[in-house]
Amino acid sequence: MKRIFGAKNNKEPPPSIQDASDRINKRGDSVEDKVKRLDAELCKYKDQIKRTRPGPAQEAIKARAMRVLKQKKMYEGQRDMLYNQTFNLDQVSFAAEGLKDAQQTMTALKSANKELKGMMKTVKIQDIDNLQDDMMDLMDESSEIQETLGRSYSVPDDIDEDDLLGELDALEADMGNETEADGVPSYLQPDKEPDLNDELNLPPAPMGHTGAPPGRAQAEDEWGLPAVPRASLRG
């Protein structure tokens, strides 16, 4: 059957951009090594030319150096061409990666757009407006309830504000009159202890003559009374 219809050709997949770039870089590195080897050989010929006297021997060394120099120029041209190809492949690779990123971004945006459309079907602007209106009404009712509960029962509603201000000014004036020189009101000062003499209206202790001869002080006991002489106590 294979002789009649022929065998199926198993074609290899085309190389990727990265594979081609790696292969070219490898070739470029090989050429770069050859250029370095030729540079070392040229340096050796240069030293030989300096040590050789002018003549046939020096001319032969120069001829070999010229041949090596030509090879170096050829390899440098190949190296630059390979590096240019690598640069072009890198640009293509960057462009391909950018397109892949764009495709992924578009896929993500389409998926997000589909989800948003499904979510928007469940959310309506009118429902949100109605909810906001209901919340505002509830907040107003809550404020009215708080004001009603915070109302004082003992304060009449017909009190004039001007009358309250007048009473407040009069109270401040009374407090200013009670304030002493040190700036402390009388109702904030500490209580003073009462004087017993003032309370009982007792006369002051006698400070005049006590029956003693003039010029001689009368002795007093511990209670402030005239002391009794000891001789009288013995008799």
Side-chain angles (χ1 to χ4, degrees):
M1 297 296 292
K2 292 183 179 180
R3 293 180 180 179
I4 298 174
F5 297 100
K8 184 178 181 181
N9 294 328
N10 295 325
K11 294 182 180 180
E12 295 182 358
S16 63
I17 296 176
Q18 187 63 37
D19 295 338
S21 179
D22 293 340
R23 182 179 178 182
I24 293 174
N25 285 330
K26 186 177 181 180
R27 289 179 58 191
D29 294 339
S30 177
V31 175
E32 182 67 24
D33 293 337
K34 292 179 180 179
V35 171
K36 291 180 180 180
R37 186 170 63 251
L38 292 175
D39 284 335
E41 190 174 354
L42 285 174
C43 290
K44 182 178 68 174
Y45 289 149
K46 184 177 180 180
D47 293 338
Q48 291 178 1
I49 291 172
K50 288 181 179 180
R51 291 194 302 267
T52 305
R53 293 180 180 180
Q58 189 181 40
E59 293 297 329
I61 296 173
K62 288 182 178 180
R64 289 196 295 270
M66 289 296 295
R67 185 175 63 253
V68 173
L69 184 60
K70 289 180 181 179
Q71 291 178 358
K72 177 186 173 184
K73 294 295 183 183
M74 181 187 65
Y75 286 136
E76 287 179 347
Q78 292 180 0
R79 180 194 61 187
D80 295 339
M81 180 183 64
L82 292 173
Y83 285 163
N84 289 332
Q85 292 179 4
T86 303
F87 178 72
N88 293 333
L89 288 175
D90 289 340
Q91 287 184 331
V92 174
S93 177
F94 291 154
E97 292 294 333
L99 289 176
K100 290 181 180 179
D101 294 340
Q103 289 178 353
Q104 292 179 358
T105 303
M106 288 297 298
T107 303
L109 289 175
K110 289 180 180 179
S111 177
N113 188 18
K114 184 178 180 180
E115 292 179 0
L116 286 175
K117 287 182 178 179
M119 295 172 63
M120 290 300 295
K121 291 180 180 179
T122 60
V123 178
K124 296 181 180 180
I125 301 299
Q126 186 63 34
D127 295 340
I128 296 176
D129 292 337
N130 295 334
L131 180 62
Q132 290 291 336
D133 294 338
D134 293 340
M135 290 297 296
M136 291 298 295
D137 294 339
L138 291 175
M139 293 300 294
D140 293 338
E141 292 179 1
S142 177
S143 299
E144 292 179 359
I145 292 172
Q146 295 296 328
E147 292 178 359
T148 303
L149 293 176
R151 188 178 300 171
S152 178
Y153 299 103
S154 61
V155 178
D157 296 334
D158 56 350
I159 295 179
D160 191 3
E161 185 176 359
D162 295 334
D163 296 339
L164 292 177
L165 293 176
E167 292 181 6
L168 181 60
D169 294 337
L171 180 61
E172 291 179 354
D174 294 340
M175 292 174 62
N177 294 330
E178 294 179 357
T179 303
E180 295 182 354
D182 55 357
V184 180
S186 59
Y187 61 88
L188 294 179
Q189 296 179 1
D191 297 334
K192 295 181 180 180
E193 296 181 358
D195 192 356
L196 295 177
N197 295 329
D198 294 339
E199 294 289 337
L200 299 176
N201 294 324
L202 296 177
M207 300 300 292
H209 299 283
T210 57
R216 184 177 178 183
Q218 178 69 31
E220 295 179 354
D221 57 8
E222 58 183 353
W223 292 285
L225 299 176
V228 178
R230 297 182 179 270
S232 63
L233 292 175
R234 290 178 182 177

